[in-house]
Amino acid sequence: MNLTEQLLHALKRHGAQQIFGIPGDFALPYFRIIEESQILPLYTMSHEPGVGFAADAAARINGSLGVAAVTYGAGALNMINSVAAAFAEKSPLVVLSGGPGKGESRSGLLLHHQAKTLDSQFHIFKEITCDQVRLDDAARAPADIARVLASCLRHSEPVYIEIPRDMVAVPCAEVLPEAPFPMDPDALNACVDEILETLARAKSPVLMAGVEVRRYGLESKVAALSRRLGLPVVTSFMGRGLLTDHDAPLLGTYMGVAGFPEVTQLVESSDGLFLLGEIICDTNFAVSETKIDMRKTIQALNGQVNIGYHTYADLPLAALVDCMLARVGTQDKTFEITPQVFPRQLQADDASITPTDIATAVNDLMAEHGTMPMASDMGDCLFTAMDIAHTALVAPGYYATMGFGVPAGLGLQAATGERPLILVGDGAFQMTGWELGNCKRYGWDPIVLLFNNASWEMLRTFQPESSFNDLGDWDFASMAHGMGGDGVCVFTRAELKAALDKAIATRGRFQLIEVMIPSGVLSSTLARFVAGVKRLNSAK
Ligand code: TPW
Ligand code: MG
């Protein structure tokens, strides 16, 4: 077998299910092998940011490797922002890039796509990946590939693999998976003792589940753990969508001043806050009503556990959860929780549409037709998602990049086979909405709710005086037909309901519903978020 085939088999054995990509001349040779070997299906897209977002979303939804394949320079550097998002939000994304052959590297000519030096790209990717390799030595390649893929899964962070174009077809030995990382069972037991004692001592312990719980495939175990320990569960903003299909005592999403007062009160008054796989970032915590003293929490993240003033190093989350589960018996505790209530039963009348109406309409739709996985962009659409009943969600809640929603939705459908719902603002749609044109070739048929307020509205709420936030009317619905889908523009609640009913009944083509939202009308969560941030800032 050749080097590319061994790499593809190794990717598959480590959990990859498909490849998203755009080729170029440095990548054509390995793309040929991807296509002809049929080891993993290849989906090509239109622009590299979309490739990265789709592969990232596939990784997030399946809790396994996502693969983004690009060409050297113009292709790979076009994907920097998507890979940075995956790094920040801990998504195990494998970047494959073509590269100059060894001979041409020594030619003395500058090569096209070269920025500063031929190594510049490698150095740039070092900043946003946890491990890297250039496969320029066939003898070393199997061990290098094994190491890089093990790093990707262990840290749940992106990795970078460069394939010089004259190496793709050289003979290569099989990639043998690395041995699991050693762990100290005594340290694990001591840590679990301490966590269980701290939780038992607390009068009102709470478990906040973060994205690592999904990244390491621990949702059902964490749900069981919270039932056994009688721990109410909340997610963070970033963790929204976690545990939805598992029997967990889930109250809702913690968003400080922007969230539901019951959840905010529970979290901020807890004397035993257990942050499990939670990224400690501003979108999760800066909006706290009362500042949470992180030194008083238990934090399990990045393969270590912090309790009070000390740290247990090298304890993977999966081992920690397994060990805790083994210690808490098999009996569930009974306790009461009051879960968040979501808006239902849209008044289908002639009133104009608010973001909360969109959430209500989606809740009605999913109650009638079953839940759909969602991909959301950044913007008020993501705050609106907090009013949608719990369902799987991928969204850039921490890194907050625009342009994620549409390509991520395509990644969801490719990875799960399920029809996704995409939430996206008009500004974000201008960035990556074109990727919808790829649905037709692959039979993808997402339902897209485009929140069109003709504005960068989130920015406007923070700085209302700036007219540069006006985007004008682009008539997005009319573009759908030429791209192989159906588009409709809705102004009233009655039209919104009719459009959703029609979209759900129409399979095989993407369904774009352009929802016109009057200027200045926000979701209730974003309105609370802005009011809260302003209140906190004025108190400083
Ligand atoms: C890649 C900065 C954050 S929110 C926003 C901008 C420009 C406006 C979003 O407009 P949209 O949604 O999509 O119409 P809405 O609800 O606010 O009207 N470039 C990137 N990412 C970010 N986050 C920005 C700029 C930004
Ligand atoms: Mg907008």
Side-chain angles (χ1 to χ4, degrees), residues 167-223:
M167 290 295 293
V168 299
V170 300
C172 180
E174 191 182 342
V175 177
L176 301 173
E178 286 220 320
F181 202 74
M183 191 196 28
D184 179 348
D186 296 338
L188 179 63
N189 274 316
C191 177
V192 168
D193 282 343
E194 196 174 344
I195 294 176
L196 292 176
E197 277 161 26
T198 309
L199 293 174
R201 250 198 332 267
K203 282 197 208 57
S204 110
V206 177
L207 187 144
M208 193 186 290
V211 287
E212 278 194 353
V213 169
R214 182 166 193 118
R215 303 285 189 262
Y216 294 111
L218 299 172
E219 281 169 287
S220 63
K221 288 179 179 174
V222 169

Side-chain angles (χ1 to χ4, degrees), residues 1-7 33 167-173:
M1 247 188 249
N2 66 44
L3 182 138
T4 308
E5 289 165 337
Q6 295 293 14
L7 171 62
I33 298 173
M167 290 295 293
V168 299
V170 300
C172 180

Side-chain angles (χ1 to χ4, degrees), residues 380 424-428 451-458 469 471:
D380 199 15
V424 56
D426 54 321
F451 291 48
N452 190 356
N453 45 22
S455 162
W456 286 324
E457 193 63 31
M458 247 190 94
N469 290 316
L471 295 182

Side-chain angles (χ1 to χ4, degrees), residues 373-415:
M374 293 197 301
S376 177
D377 219 293
M378 190 58 208
D380 199 15
C381 55
L382 181 53
F383 290 86
T384 303
M386 302 303 128
D387 281 328
I388 295 177
H390 297 285
T391 184
L393 170 70
V394 293
Y398 157 43
Y399 185 76
T401 179
M402 288 162 73
F404 181 87
V406 167
L410 306 190
L412 290 191
Q413 187 151 15

Side-chain angles (χ1 to χ4, degrees), residues 186-314:
D186 296 338
L188 179 63
N189 274 316
C191 177
V192 168
D193 282 343
E194 196 174 344
I195 294 176
L196 292 176
E197 277 161 26
T198 309
L199 293 174
R201 250 198 332 267
K203 282 197 208 57
S204 110
V206 177
L207 187 144
M208 193 186 290
V211 287
E212 278 194 353
V213 169
R214 182 166 193 118
R215 303 285 189 262
Y216 294 111
L218 299 172
E219 281 169 287
S220 63
K221 288 179 179 174
V222 169
L225 188 63
S226 51
R227 292 196 310 269
R228 307 275 153 78
L229 285 168
L231 283 177
V233 183
V234 301
T235 75
S236 57
F237 187 48
M238 183 64 236
R240 177 72 174 201
L242 284 172
L243 296 166
T244 48
D245 298 326
H246 303 270
D247 182 17
L250 185 62
L251 264 90
T253 297
Y254 173 72
M255 289 192 69
V257 293
F260 283 81
E262 297 81 1
V263 176
T264 303
Q265 153 74 18
L266 181 81
V267 169
E268 295 184 5
S269 65
S270 170
D271 54 351
L273 183 57
F274 185 13
L275 303 169
L276 193 64
E278 188 68 73
I279 299 174
I280 312 292
C281 63
D282 60 352
T283 54
N284 284 342
F285 294 104
V287 285
S288 302
E289 180 86 56
T290 328
K291 201 167 160 15
I292 297 172
D293 186 347
M294 287 296 164
R295 298 168 310 172
K296 305 254 163 72
T297 63
I298 306 164
Q299 297 168 38
L301 182 74
N302 291 332
Q304 62 178 43
V305 178
N306 291 330
I307 307 179
Y309 302 96
H310 56 281
T311 299
Y312 294 87
D314 298 325

